[in-house]
Amino acid sequence: METMKNENNALRMIMTTAWQFVKRNGYNLSKALKCAWANFRLYQFMKGRIVRFTFRKIDGTIRESVGTLLDNVVPTPKGSAQGKKTNDEVQVYFDTERSEYRSFKKANLISFA
């Protein structure tokens, strides 16, 4: 029963992200779903290991990055995050090459390995 809830939450998150891409970025549904699934897989991989991925920066340049969301690699935040709004359009990660937090627009993800 618990796995079914997790699967339903994952599918809900993927569909919500895809509809955001359709509404805000003008993607067709096919492209939006592909991008939403890629972002979901990247997030899952970053929770378990260090991942190399590529995305387009807002200025149009391509950036290759190495990042993770592993608890034993990511430092504890210094300030309190209470009351701070989260942005669903942005993926936050810890850049292991620069040893600091970074983010990119989910719609700009190109690939990951």
Side-chain angles (χ1 to χ4, degrees), residues 51-69:
V51 182
R52 180 175 301 276
F53 56 96
T54 307
F55 61 93
R56 184 178 317 280
K57 292 172 42 174
I58 293 178
D59 66 2
T61 59
I62 304 293
R63 180 162 193 287
E64 188 172 302
S65 184
V66 179
T68 189
L69 294 173

Side-chain angles (χ1 to χ4, degrees), residues 46-96:
M46 283 198 300
K47 284 176 34 179
R49 62 185 169 139
I50 297 172
V51 182
R52 180 175 301 276
F53 56 96
T54 307
F55 61 93
R56 184 178 317 280
K57 292 172 42 174
I58 293 178
D59 66 2
T61 59
I62 304 293
R63 180 162 193 287
E64 188 172 302
S65 184
V66 179
T68 189
L69 294 173
L70 282 170
D71 291 334
N72 60 349
V73 177
V74 176
T76 56
K78 293 180 181 156
S80 138
Q82 291 179 342
K84 189 172 183 178
K85 293 182 181 179
T86 59
N87 187 347
D88 293 335
E89 294 182 38
V90 175
Q91 174 62 55
V92 177
Y93 66 96
F94 185 77
D95 191 331
T96 56

